[in-house]
Amino acid sequence: MDTDVSEPRVVVGVDGSQSSYDALRWAVRYASRIGGTVEAVAVWELPGLYGWSGPAVDVDVDEDETRQKMTRELTDVLGAEAAGSVRTHVVHGNAADVLLRAAEGAEVLVVGSRGRGGFARALLGSVSQHVSQHASCPVVIVRSQEQ
């Protein structure tokens, strides 16, 4: 991840959920108030990739698809102009671990309260709960209006 210290970094996790879109909007508003930049991080992982057999899919294709989807989502959520000012990172790995690494040295890490998985009645998703307990910077957990 980019660690330019000339301006505050606001790192936000984006996973395609409504909660992450609300977190993205919050991050952009906050960054504009503090004169910072937004780094949107999408994490992808292939189930079973770490087993003893090799992956049955082309890993590069999945990363490209994730990158394209993220670009479309940022434009849909923020509009073309605002989306163009957001730095994007598509990273393979465990979502909580990747977000914690991305947030090192950041002003704040912003995540949605629940991602695409999980139980509807859960107050916090596993990723938001994990990063709130282990991040080296403040964490903002944004609850979606739809919850």
Side-chain angles (χ1 to χ4, degrees), residues 2-23:
D2 207 356
T3 57
D4 181 12
V5 293
S6 63
E7 52 191 11
R9 290 184 316 118
V10 177
V11 177
V12 58
V14 180
D15 69 359
S17 68
Q18 184 60 46
S19 186
S20 76
Y21 296 157
D22 292 338

Side-chain angles (χ1 to χ4, degrees), residues 31-141:
S32 71
R33 289 186 177 124
I34 65 168
T37 61
V38 176
E39 293 185 9
V41 180
V43 182
W44 64 279
E45 185 172 21
L46 293 174
L49 182 63
Y50 301 108
W52 57 269
S53 63
V57 295
D58 185 348
V59 175
D60 292 332
V61 171
D62 287 332
E63 183 176 357
D64 290 341
E65 287 176 12
T66 302
R67 190 176 309 282
Q68 291 170 6
K69 182 178 179 190
M70 183 180 192
T71 300
R72 284 191 307 270
E73 289 174 344
L74 290 179
T75 301
D76 290 347
V77 171
L78 301 174
E81 185 176 332
S85 68
V86 174
R87 296 177 185 165
T88 60
H89 303 282
V90 176
V91 182
H92 175 263
N94 173 276
D97 293 340
V98 169
L99 289 172
L100 289 171
R101 282 193 312 272
E104 290 176 3
E107 179 80 14
V108 65
L109 170 60
V110 185
V111 293
S113 60
R114 259 198 355 249
R116 292 183 299 167
F119 300 99
R121 293 178 42 180
L123 294 176
L124 282 180
S126 59
V127 172
S128 58
Q129 185 171 21
H130 186 84
V131 300
S132 70
Q133 295 171 351
H134 299 283
S136 60
C137 65
V139 176
V140 173
I141 301 174

